[in-house]
Amino acid sequence: MLLAAVCLHAQVPKEAKSVQDFEKVFYRNTPHGKVPEAICIGKEANPLEGGLIDIKQFELQTLRDGKTTQFIAKSPQCTIDVKKEYATSPGPIQGFSATTNFYIQGVGFLCTKSNSLLIISNQIETTIHKSALKGSLPLGMRTNAAGEIVKIYADEFRLFYQSNLATYIGHVRVVDPRMTLTCELLTTHFATNGSIENSVAERSVVLTQTNGSRATGDRAIYTVVGTNETVELIGNAHWVDDRHDATANSFFYDGAIDELKANERVKVRYSNSTRRAPRGTNDFSEMLANAATIANATRKYTSAQNIVGQGDVIMTNHFDHSYAHGKRATYSDTNGIVELTGKPYLKTENGEVSGDVLSVDRTNNIFHARGHAEAKWINKEKPSLGKQRAEQKVFVSSRDLDYTTNEAVFSGDVHGYMLNGNVRTGDLFSENLVLEFGISNRLSRAVAKENVRAMRTVGERHDSLGCDSLTLRREVSTGFLRDITGVGNCRFEGTNSVPKPQLRVVTSPEFVARFLYNTNKIDDVIADGGVTAWQFTATQTNEVRGKTMFYFTRPVERLEVLGNPEAHTQKF
């Protein structure tokens, strides 16, 4: 930084025409007197017309404490204009620290005193030993490892040495053992001790790391505060590695914790699995959010990365076309699970799921809902037996939901019902419910346990059924019921007001109801293990008891009781 000042005062005495082995010492005033500041050396110094001085084999040495060499600058030839106070040369120039931890070279330079400016105009190459830096360069490059260096290449270099501002211009390339930065303009502010305070890269900024990650943007700001380094990438920011592809208005990287923050219009794309081969080119998901944080962004300390999206978060799976929404989303590379909170819901081609917390394993499409879980499945059946069937929808709410391949498990305060078109076929209540799905995600089997209650209302008729366990099987190909099995404390109640009010009650340890193959109407019912049936009307009560009861709907409706049967009426 003292190059201009020293050069412009390194005059050949007016009375001399030529000086061989030129040497001049420059001093600065201190409270202790004059202290040597620099030494200017030339093999030969010759006066030229117009007040110019030509120095051959120019060398400048700056001194620390008046004794120790701090920096050395060399050029084969240097021309000094004493009146206009500048030094210039079309030839090469090189400068380096005494300990050779900093080195710069180029071709062609101009140094002016009036605006404290040094310009090296071509073929810039800077070498910095990182152990000499207070900070380093972007994206976690700081290290005290001996021998590691940073290289900076550019078309032109400008140094405003009074303000400690250095600028690299044109095809700028910063090469570090861990990354490469390219841009068209790099501006660096130095502290008084020579360490980097901040750097600003502009115009087509690209950061490429050896671990495969790559970041681009309109502008990058690198700042050192204490021992911590940060990088802010602003304008059309884009970051990509072997697992993720992220865009945002800006990125902010904190080197102390290896964390990347994306702000505004964030989109993160990631593979649906890191533990298996892709199932196709569309086997990936995307996260849209107002803001996102990527932990272990450069994987300096660990290979696992966590992504947290905040704000209005939308997640789409391009393989199965599922869609999720929430206020916060957390994804972990460790287990491949995405967790959504803030009134989250998940929508697929066949239904929707919501809850207080949703977690989705994107590897195998397993998901869980915790707290106020609600699910809806839509069965769009194909025409059966020449008839167009209405769309069926299954609705279930519970405390928790666990969905694995073709199976949904509901736990706690379960309530489910089905709609055939717009007709509600009944309601089911229990503590636990397992739904099994067959081809095309069609419901094939349902098992309800603990405090099971099923209810149905058709016109003026209301039926209810309670038991310990209830199993329903459904023919997937047609969508019709096959059978229903109840076990443990079974109790059926049926009421109707037409043609006259009556109540029918049947109790048994277990029963099986079978349905006609082409309708959802009962064909027959078998109740076993000790059966009691009552029929209550306004005027009389009928009771039947036995070990086994058969109920048939064809060819006519009839009831048969076996095993020591007894019948009691008002008359006999």
Side-chain angles (χ1 to χ4, degrees):
M1 296 181 180
L2 294 174
L3 178 61
V6 172
C7 286
L8 298 175
H9 288 85
Q11 307 175 35
V12 177
K14 293 182 179 180
E15 65 276 8
K17 294 184 178 181
S18 177
V19 175
Q20 300 293 321
D21 297 325
F22 169 78
E23 179 177 326
K24 184 172 180 61
V25 179
F26 300 88
Y27 297 89
R28 71 173 184 274
N29 293 321
T30 71
H32 305 287
K34 291 185 176 181
V35 176
E37 184 176 34
I39 301 174
C40 183
I41 301 172
K43 185 69 175 176
E44 181 180 339
N46 297 303
L48 302 176
E49 292 183 0
L52 302 179
I53 300 174
D54 180 72
I55 301 179
K56 305 294 185 184
Q57 301 300 319
F58 169 79
E59 180 177 323
L60 168 70
Q61 297 181 18
T62 63
L63 304 176
R64 181 190 295 115
D65 302 326
K67 299 178 181 179
T68 307
T69 300
Q70 184 177 22
F71 190 81
I72 300 171
K74 292 184 177 182
S75 178
Q77 182 271 335
C78 176
T79 300
I80 298 174
D81 189 318
V82 177
K83 294 181 179 179
K84 296 182 179 180
E85 297 184 315
Y86 72 80
T88 185
S89 173
I93 184 174
Q94 57 179 323
F96 50 91
S97 63
T99 57
T100 66
N101 54 26
F102 178 87
Y103 176 86
I104 185 170
Q105 66 178 11
V107 177
F109 69 89
L110 170 67
C111 188
T112 65
K113 181 182 179 183
S114 59
N115 53 7
S116 304
L117 173 64
L118 167 65
I119 299 175
I120 303 177
S121 55
N122 296 284
Q123 303 176 31
I124 309 304
E125 179 180 337
T126 303
T127 302
I128 306 172
H129 282 253
K130 292 169 66 174
S131 58
L133 297 178
K134 170 186 175 183
S136 60
L137 289 168
L139 297 186
M141 294 164 48
R142 184 166 60 84
T143 178
N144 292 322
E148 286 199 0
I149 60 174
V150 178
K151 289 268 193 178
I152 305 177
Y153 303 89
D155 295 337
E156 182 179 327
F157 173 78
R158 297 188 178 193
L159 174 65
F160 294 90
Y161 48 85
Q162 290 295 340
S163 56
N164 292 340
L165 177 66
T167 303
Y168 292 85
I169 304 171
H171 299 94
V172 181
R173 184 162 58 98
V174 182
V175 181
D176 177 271
R178 292 166 180 78
M179 63 80 67
T180 298
L181 178 147
T182 61
C183 62
E184 289 301 312
L185 179 66
L186 178 65
T187 304
T188 299
H189 289 267
F190 292 92
T192 54
N193 63 357
S195 61
I196 294 175
E197 285 189 334
N198 64 72
S199 294
V200 179
E202 299 178 85
R203 304 174 196 168
S204 304
V205 179
V206 179
L207 293 164
T208 305
Q209 286 198 274
T210 54
N211 68 3
S213 65
R214 186 173 185 268
T216 62
D218 298 335
R219 194 167 186 241
I221 302 174
Y222 163 71
T223 306
V224 178
V225 179
T227 60
N228 188 32
E229 306 158 80
T230 63
V231 179
E232 188 172 12
L233 198 61
I234 303 172
N236 300 307
H238 183 200
W239 172 75
V240 62
D241 67 0
D242 57 340
R243 300 179 184 178
H244 312 95
D245 189 318
T247 58
N249 281 0
S250 65
F251 288 131
F252 183 83
Y253 175 78
D254 191 332
I257 56 178
D258 195 25
E259 184 177 84
L260 186 70
K261 293 182 179 179
N263 299 296
E264 298 183 14
R265 302 179 66 180
V266 179
K267 181 168 74 172
V268 182
R269 173 176 168 171
Y270 49 88
S271 171
N272 280 331
S273 178
T274 58
R275 294 171 285 176
R276 56 161 170 76
R279 295 167 290 186
T281 57
N282 64 339
D283 196 6
F284 65 90
S285 294
E286 287 183 323
M287 175 194 294
L288 306 178
N290 295 337
T293 301
I294 302 174
N296 302 318
T298 65
R299 297 198 289 275
K300 288 192 304 180
Y301 310 115
T302 176
S303 61
Q305 290 176 311
N306 297 321
I307 303 175
V308 178
Q310 294 178 310
D312 193 16
V313 181
I314 297 173
M315 307 188 72
T316 58
N317 187 320
H318 288 245
F319 184 80
D320 61 15
H321 308 292
S322 62
Y323 167 95
H325 180 270
K327 295 300 181 183
R328 179 183 173 90
T330 303
Y331 161 69
S332 173
D333 264 346
T334 305
N335 51 25
I337 292 177
V338 177
E339 185 175 275
L340 283 162
T341 55
K343 296 183 178 180
Y345 69 87
L346 171 68
K347 185 175 183 180
T348 70
E349 292 179 324
N350 297 304
E352 300 177 8
V353 176
S354 63
D356 294 339
V357 180
L358 285 181
S359 60
V360 182
D361 188 336
R362 62 197 177 104
T363 302
N364 48 25
N365 203 31
I366 292 175
F367 60 83
H368 310 273
R370 295 289 177 263
H372 301 94
E374 294 186 0
K376 177 177 72 174
W377 276 271
I378 302 174
N379 297 324
K380 298 179 180 180
E381 306 286 6
K382 295 180 179 180
S384 176
L385 302 176
K387 297 180 181 180
Q388 183 69 42
R389 301 203 62 232
E391 181 180 79
Q392 293 183 327
K393 299 178 182 178
V394 179
F395 297 85
V396 183
S397 63
S398 64
R399 185 178 61 248
D400 297 326
L401 164 62
D402 298 281
Y403 178 88
T404 57
T405 305
N406 299 325
E407 182 179 88
V409 179
F410 297 86
S411 305
D413 300 322
V414 179
H415 175 208
Y417 64 93
M418 178 182 286
L419 293 180
N420 275 327
N422 294 321
V423 179
R424 190 158 177 161
T425 59
D427 291 75
L428 176 69
F429 299 87
S430 65
E431 284 300 310
N432 295 283
L433 175 64
V434 178
L435 300 182
E436 298 177 4
F437 299 90
I439 58 173
S440 301
N441 207 45
R442 298 176 185 175
L443 180 64
S444 62
R445 185 170 180 262
V447 179
K449 294 184 178 181
E450 295 184 42
N451 301 320
V452 180
R453 291 177 296 121
M455 296 179 291
R456 181 180 68 169
T457 299
V458 180
E460 300 297 325
R461 178 174 174 174
H462 177 73
D463 298 330
S464 66
L465 173 66
C467 56
D468 295 338
S469 174
L470 185 68
T471 301
L472 177 150
R473 292 195 302 165
R474 185 170 172 269
E475 188 62 55
V476 175
S477 60
T478 64
F480 295 122
L481 291 172
R482 292 175 59 185
D483 55 57
I484 296 178
T485 302
V487 176
N489 301 306
C490 299
R491 179 182 176 90
F492 168 81
E493 293 186 8
T495 62
N496 61 273
S497 57
V498 177
K500 58 182 180 180
Q502 65 173 323
L503 168 64
R504 294 171 295 169
V505 179
V506 179
T507 63
S508 68
E510 59 184 49
F511 77 93
V512 176
R514 296 183 295 187
F515 292 78
L516 295 172
Y517 74 96
N518 61 348
T519 71
N520 278 325
K521 295 181 178 180
I522 291 177
D523 187 12
D524 58 48
V525 179
I526 302 174
D528 195 20
V531 182
T532 302
W534 293 273
Q535 183 184 47
F536 303 94
T537 66
T539 58
Q540 65 178 357
T541 299
N542 299 322
E543 180 182 350
V544 178
R545 299 181 182 217
K547 182 177 183 301
T548 304
M549 177 182 290
F550 294 91
Y551 169 72
F552 301 97
T553 62
R554 296 183 298 168
V556 294
E557 187 178 19
R558 71 187 192 279
L559 195 68
E560 293 184 4
V561 181
L562 304 178
N564 302 315
E566 296 181 11
H568 301 268
T569 71
Q570 297 287 75
K571 298 180 179 180
F572 63 90

